[in-house]
């Protein structure tokens, strides 16, 4: 479970990460990352440097049980990787339809590859 200070809750934060952040797509998910260096200085005025993550899992992934299982798995995976991300960054993980049938290992592999690409560790 992600701690409360590491959760994205506000619509504006989700929109900021998706619209103004960098994106890396993989077969099972899309990761949007907005680092604190790219933040608007006239934004919400928050000085909290904690990295926050949010998840988007639509009905295309599956029924309610499947969507909740995917969200739980993604929260678990992102929590383990928060320390790799720059302080104050916003992360939005959008699950694609195939993620409902994917194993935890497949989700972890795609998440790691997307984060590696976003953090500059791999070329396109």
């Amino acid at each position: 479970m992600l701690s409360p200070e590491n959760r994205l809750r506000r619509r504006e934060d989700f929109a900021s990460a998706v619209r103004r952040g960098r994106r890396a797509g993989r077969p099972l998910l899309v990761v949007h990352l907005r680092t604190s260096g790219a933040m608007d200085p006239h934004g919400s005025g928050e000085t909290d440097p904690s990295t926050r993550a949010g998840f988007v899992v639509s009905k295309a992934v599956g029924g309610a049980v499947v969507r909740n299982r995917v969200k739980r798995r993604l929260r678990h995976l992102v929590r383990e990787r928060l320390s790799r991300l720059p302080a104050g960054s916003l992360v939005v993980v959008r699950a694609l339809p195939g993620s409902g049938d994917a194993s935890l290992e497949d989700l972890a592999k795609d998440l790691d590859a997307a984060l590696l690409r976003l953090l500059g560790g791999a070329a396109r």
Side-chain angles (χ1 to χ4, degrees), residues 36-106:
S36 59
M39 297 290 183
D40 181 15
H42 303 292
S44 62
E46 294 180 24
T47 59
D48 184 19
S50 62
T51 300
R52 294 179 293 156
F55 305 92
V56 178
V57 184
S58 74
K59 288 184 179 179
V61 172
V65 172
V66 174
R67 290 194 313 268
N68 285 324
R69 182 176 59 233
V70 169
K71 282 187 274 192
R72 281 193 310 271
R73 288 177 172 180
L74 290 174
R75 276 195 305 263
H76 174 75
L77 293 170
V78 168
R79 182 188 59 182
E80 293 175 344
R81 290 153 177 84
L82 281 178
S83 61
R84 299 183 201 170
L85 301 172
S89 57
L90 303 178
V91 179
V92 173
V93 179
R94 184 167 41 105
L96 297 177
S99 62
D101 299 325
S103 67
L104 183 64
E105 293 79 22
D106 292 338

Side-chain angles (χ1 to χ4, degrees), residues 22 24 26 31 33 81 84-85 108-124:
R22 297 180 60 214
R26 302 296 304 158
V31 178
L33 175 68
R81 290 153 177 84
R84 299 183 201 170
L85 301 172
K109 184 173 63 172
D110 274 6
L111 181 63
D112 287 336
L115 288 175
L116 185 65
R117 180 171 168 203
L118 287 172
L119 295 173
R124 290 185 117 165

